[in-house]
Amino acid sequence: MKNNKQVSVLFVCLGNICRSPTAEGVFRHLVKQEGHDSWIATDSAGTHAYHIGEQPDRRAQQTARTRGVDLSDLRGRKAIKTDFEEFDYVLAMDDENYQILEAMCPTGLSDKLSLFLDFSKEYSETQVPDPYYGGDQGFEHVFDLVESASRGLLEDITKRFR
Ligand code: 4NP
């Protein structure tokens, strides 16, 4: 939730039940752990409407839970044009969702849009792969990628805004 905090981050994937809620949960956990939760807000959304109002996928919740991150309060929603006015960072999980967001983005606000993995220092991959139709190990890999990019993102935010 945004709650009028100084800096806000929106994570976006296709369904908002696997990758982007994992990213939101991991990043918000890190932000809290590092004592920045009073000024950094997080949210997530999907480019498609299939899972509006749903909890994160059971496998995403399970993977996150075993690694100390609770996703149970998150609910699916669809990304909307005004998200680009509301949020400072709009972070796509892959090129497909990046392109959908780019087409939706109002003129002059495209600097807010990036691929989330561009913030990772440990991984050269640019795409968080869609784990929905695969096995549990896909969710583990998503978690690893997201954890790395979350650290880089927090560093970027603290450099830019503090
Ligand atoms: P997500 O994964 O984009 O990481 O939430 C998916 C979830 C649902 C579907 C596709 C991807 N789906 O086709 O319903």
Side-chain angles (χ1 to χ4, degrees), residues 34-45:
E34 300 292 319
H36 299 300
D37 51 317
S38 64
W39 64 280
I40 301 176
T42 58
D43 197 4
S44 63

Side-chain angles (χ1 to χ4, degrees), residues 4-149:
N4 292 321
K5 293 189 185 179
Q6 186 192 349
V7 180
S8 55
V9 181
L10 180 68
F11 300 95
V12 185
C13 63
L14 187 152
N16 193 210
I17 55 165
C18 300
R19 292 165 291 177
S20 62
T22 299
E24 180 183 359
V26 166
F27 183 67
R28 129 183 120 169
H29 184 80
L30 177 67
V31 162
K32 186 151 199 227
Q33 201 171 44
E34 300 292 319
H36 299 300
D37 51 317
S38 64
W39 64 280
I40 301 176
T42 58
D43 197 4
S44 63
T47 53
H48 293 69
Y50 308 136
H51 299 285
I52 290 175
E54 291 179 23
Q55 280 203 13
D57 186 281
R58 176 187 50 76
R59 298 161 296 173
Q61 289 202 55
Q62 177 61 29
T63 302
R65 197 179 305 118
T66 58
R67 296 170 71 160
V69 174
D70 180 21
L71 307 180
S72 63
D73 62 309
L74 303 178
R75 295 294 179 273
R77 76 160 174 93
K78 193 170 182 291
I80 50 174
K81 196 174 176 173
T82 52
D83 284 327
F84 283 94
E85 280 135 33
E86 290 272 307
F87 290 88
D88 300 296
Y89 291 78
V90 178
L91 302 174
M93 296 298 133
D94 61 19
D95 287 338
E96 185 187 338
N97 290 296
Y98 184 97
Q99 280 156 20
I100 294 169
L101 290 165
E102 199 174 31
M104 185 192 287
C105 181
T107 311
L109 298 181
S110 61
D111 283 357
K112 295 182 174 189
L113 178 60
S114 310
L115 280 171
F116 181 37
L117 285 192
D118 286 350
F119 289 98
S120 168
K121 292 190 172 147
E122 290 89 7
Y123 291 92
S124 55
E125 290 159 71
T126 58
Q127 311 291 302
V128 182
D130 182 352
Y132 188 66
Y133 293 105
D136 289 348
Q137 73 285 0
F139 286 83
E140 296 285 339
H141 185 50
V142 165
F143 196 98
D144 291 337
L145 294 169
V146 152
E147 218 177 15
S148 169

